Amino acid sequence: MEGILVPLITPFAADGSIATDALAALADDVLTQGAAGIVALGTTAEAFALDADEKRIVLDICAQACADHGASLIVGAGSNDTRSSATALAEHPHVDAALVPVPYYVRPGEAGVLAHFTRLAADTPVPLLVYHVPHRTAQPLSAATLLTLSRIPDIVGAKVASGMTEDAVALLGDCPPDFAVFAGDDTYLSPMLALGARGGITASAHLATAQFARLVSAWHKGDMATARPLGHTLARLATALFAEPNPTVLKGVLHAQGRIPTPDVRLPLLPASPESVAAALTEATE
């Protein structure tokens, strides 16, 4: 796997139900514009607020779009409990990979994280991507732990959302060549690619998808004349889209563009302010 993987939002209709037609259109659009795949039921999808039936609807729509385009399908799965995470992973045997967060809230320590992923990798049939996002999990990981994870069989990559930190740089420098590191903080996509990231799991790529795909291609080809200015442009867009909790600003922009029927999110999220949406719209049109 490489390239831009878009963690799709879940659009809602005015009555609060999933806007299935809009979701299908978004999936088709980002894949048509150059995304290499879709992440279903990730953080950006508000998976925490979807019931089991709604999750199945989202996954079915994303799976169909990926099948139509020959694209990769990754599913967000797992929690801070090892046993329930293994059960959840067993429910998705036909996806290309599962994006599994480092256990959150319980703060099991780095040895506990290693034991968690070692057990999951041994017990489940799905290739795993480690989701390293310490500002959400409250569980930082050292470079040594990340490198150990990169060498566990059936852990095929990681979404690194820790910014341009020493652990991210060390992982990119020393992980096995078949281990796919994806940038997880949209603003740092370009420098992560410059250091060897395989691509990005990039919510901002709902917008300007073709440009995000072009950025990955440019860095992989060593075309710095293209990559550097384009990376700065897309970083400004990403910064604007994350001015308020994800995916509130993104949904506001997509609604303003007529691509989803409402900008609605589910509590405890609140819709983004008009000022943040307007600022992001300006970056999206430049």
Side-chain angles (χ1 to χ4, degrees):
M1 287 182 292
E2 66 177 31
I4 291 295
L5 306 175
V6 180
L8 280 187
I9 65 155
T10 303
F12 298 120
D15 64 0
S17 63
I18 294 176
T20 55
D21 289 347
L23 178 59
L26 283 174
D28 180 73
D29 186 53
V30 298
L31 294 173
T32 299
Q33 295 300 317
I38 286 171
V39 178
L41 302 176
T43 305
T44 306
E46 299 171 74
F48 70 91
L50 303 178
D51 63 31
D53 289 339
E54 290 174 323
K55 289 179 180 179
R56 175 53 56 189
I57 290 169
V58 169
L59 187 57
D60 286 347
I61 290 171
C62 293
Q64 185 61 59
C66 288
D68 290 344
H69 287 268
S72 297
L73 175 63
I74 292 86
V75 63
S79 66
N80 57 356
D81 169 61
T82 305
R83 183 171 59 176
S84 63
S85 294
T87 300
L89 288 166
E91 296 173 355
H92 305 293
H94 302 302
V95 299
D96 293 289
L99 180 64
V100 181
V102 169
Y104 47 85
Y105 184 72
V106 295
R107 302 181 70 184
E110 294 187 75
V113 171
L114 287 172
H116 174 77
F117 279 104
T118 299
R119 175 69 61 83
L120 293 181
D123 290 350
T124 61
V126 184
L128 304 183
L129 291 172
V130 175
Y131 185 10
H132 176 43
V133 55
H135 66 277
R136 290 186 183 272
T137 65
Q139 178 60 69
L141 299 179
S142 66
T145 294
L146 287 168
L147 287 166
T148 300
L149 286 168
S150 76
R151 293 177 171 87
I152 295 174
D154 295 321
I155 297 181
V156 298
K159 175 183 177 180
V160 178
S162 57
M164 286 303 298
T165 54
E166 291 181 5
D167 58 309
V169 173
L171 176 63
L172 286 164
D174 290 326
C175 67
D178 58 349
F179 186 82
V181 176
F182 290 91
D185 281 326
D186 293 17
T187 302
Y188 298 105
L189 173 61
S190 191
M192 288 283 282
L193 290 167
L195 289 174
R198 197 77 63 83
I201 297 178
T202 312
S204 304
H206 282 78
L207 311 174
T209 312
Q211 291 177 284
F212 277 99
R214 184 179 173 219
L215 178 66
V216 174
S217 177
W219 276 118
H220 287 176
K221 292 177 180 178
D223 179 7
M224 290 181 287
T226 297
R228 283 175 173 167
L230 182 57
H232 286 298
T233 296
L234 295 177
R236 289 192 294 271
L237 171 61
T239 299
L241 288 170
F242 281 83
E244 297 187 34
N246 183 47
T248 61
V249 180
L250 175 58
K251 279 191 160 184
V253 171
L254 290 170
H255 175 60
Q257 293 178 334
R259 297 173 67 189
I260 59 176
T262 74
D264 295 352
V265 289
R266 287 184 175 171
L267 287 170
L269 293 173
L270 295 172
S273 67
E275 294 79 11
S276 291
V277 173
L281 270 169
T282 298
E283 293 294 342
T285 56
E286 288 186 351

